[in-house]
Amino acid sequence: IKRGVQRMEEKLMKVSEIAKMLSMSLRSTYRFISKTEDFPEGINLGVRMKRWKRSEILEWIEKKSDGES
């Protein structure tokens, strides 16, 4: 860490972790993500590797629980 610069460590989540967090099957989670327009975009790390920022998933869940669509 350089002087005065704080490095933020962001947890990246696999779809299986998101499925567990949402109490859904893996297959249902893939379908849900693809059909839900306001679901966080995710980051492509490779041809078959996508991860989501944990903070964005938690924020999305919070918005949904507050009644936002």
Side-chain angles (χ1 to χ4, degrees):
I1 300 176
K2 295 185 178 183
R3 264 192 224 158
V5 178
Q6 194 172 14
R7 190 174 137 194
M8 185 176 105
E9 301 229 357
E10 178 74 56
K11 165 89 170 126
L12 297 178
M13 298 180 71
K14 300 176 185 179
V15 71
S16 60
E17 295 170 315
I18 295 170
K20 192 176 233 181
M21 182 182 278
L22 298 176
S23 300
M24 298 172 76
S25 71
L26 193 55
R27 184 176 180 171
S28 292
T29 303
Y30 276 114
R31 191 174 326 128
F32 180 78
I33 289 171
S34 70
K35 293 184 179 200
T36 305
E37 291 181 15
D38 67 336
F39 197 82
E41 189 63 35
I43 303 164
N44 289 314
L45 299 175
V47 177
R48 294 180 47 126
M49 188 188 317
K50 192 167 194 173
R51 299 292 184 264
W52 288 261
K53 290 182 180 181
R54 186 173 193 274
S55 62
E56 291 180 1
I57 301 299
L58 293 174
E59 184 179 319
W60 181 83
I61 291 170
E62 184 71 25
K63 285 180 183 177
K64 290 297 181 184
S65 66
D66 288 343
E68 292 184 31
S69 341

